[in-house]
Amino acid sequence: ERKFVVTKAYFQECLDSLRGAVMIAFPEGLPEWDDVELTLKGEWEIDSRTMEAFDEGAELWWAGKMMEQNQDKKLSDYLGRNDKTKIVAKLQKPGGGAPQREAPIDEKTQKEMMAFYHKKQEEMKKLAEDDDDSHMGSAWADNKQLKSHLQGTGDVRW
């Protein structure tokens, strides 16, 4: 188990090693619009936050609760000992309050669902208005047609 505080210096060291790996893998360089390239240049921005925003410190939030900042607590105290547990934690400025919750579905899916619901609702309105029973007198709508055909009385007229 590794028990150490992740500092800005450690984070910068990780970025430097990543920068070296990218230079080896892509000797001609990455495109300037690539997220990795922006991160390595220090121009990255997540939810309008940059690394400079966390110079004075940060709070780690998970499941709507702020994790304590003392050194005695480990993530396993919050999450349990399961190695396969996956969480999404967010960093916030100190005193900034809980981060905004993510929407359960994205905007595009929500629009598609609303369009489908509206279309279904319109179909149900049309079906409710169209309660025409004139077809019930037709021969194909006779519910006793099979019985009369099997008994041979289908063509008998009175």
Side-chain angles (χ1 to χ4, degrees):
E1 292 183 22
R2 298 176 63 175
K3 299 178 185 177
F4 67 94
V5 177
V6 177
T7 61
K8 188 172 180 179
Y10 175 75
F11 185 71
Q12 194 62 42
E13 181 183 323
C14 291
L15 278 177
D16 291 338
S17 63
L18 182 63
R19 189 176 290 113
V22 168
M23 285 182 186
I24 292 171
F26 300 96
E28 67 279 350
L30 291 170
E32 58 212 33
W33 48 264
D34 192 73
D35 290 336
V36 175
E37 181 70 17
L38 293 173
T39 303
L40 294 177
K41 284 182 181 177
E43 298 173 2
W44 61 279
E45 186 176 298
I46 301 173
D47 296 339
S48 71
R49 294 175 288 179
T50 60
M51 190 63 181
E52 289 77 29
F54 299 113
D55 283 342
E56 66 271 2
E59 296 175 342
L60 188 64
W61 287 78
W62 171 72
K65 298 176 185 163
M66 183 179 71
M67 295 187 180
E68 294 180 24
Q69 294 185 4
N70 61 9
Q71 304 301 323
D72 299 338
K73 289 275 194 176
K74 298 184 241 172
L75 283 178
S76 61
D77 294 338
Y78 292 98
L79 308 172
R81 303 297 253 163
N82 188 354
D83 292 340
K84 297 180 182 177
T85 301
K86 177 184 174 184
I87 67 163
V88 176
K90 294 194 175 193
L91 287 174
Q92 287 289 105
K93 288 183 183 180
Q100 185 177 2
R101 292 181 180 252
E102 295 179 8
I105 56 174
D106 61 341
E107 190 175 327
K108 180 183 174 196
T109 307
Q110 185 177 7
K111 284 182 180 178
E112 289 173 357
M113 288 172 52
M114 291 300 290
F116 176 78
Y117 174 74
H118 184 68
K119 182 180 171 186
K120 239 0 186 178
Q121 197 174 27
E122 291 297 318
E123 286 178 7
M124 294 307 271
K125 281 183 186 176
K126 286 181 184 176
L127 288 174
E129 290 172 0
D130 187 28
D131 58 351
D132 184 21
D133 292 338
S134 62
H135 66 279
M136 296 304 281
S138 302
W140 58 267
D142 185 12
N143 59 356
K144 295 185 173 118
Q145 184 178 13
L146 178 63
K147 178 182 173 186
S148 61
H149 180 71
L150 291 174
Q151 290 178 345
T153 59
D155 293 330
V156 175
R157 303 258 189 243
W158 300 102

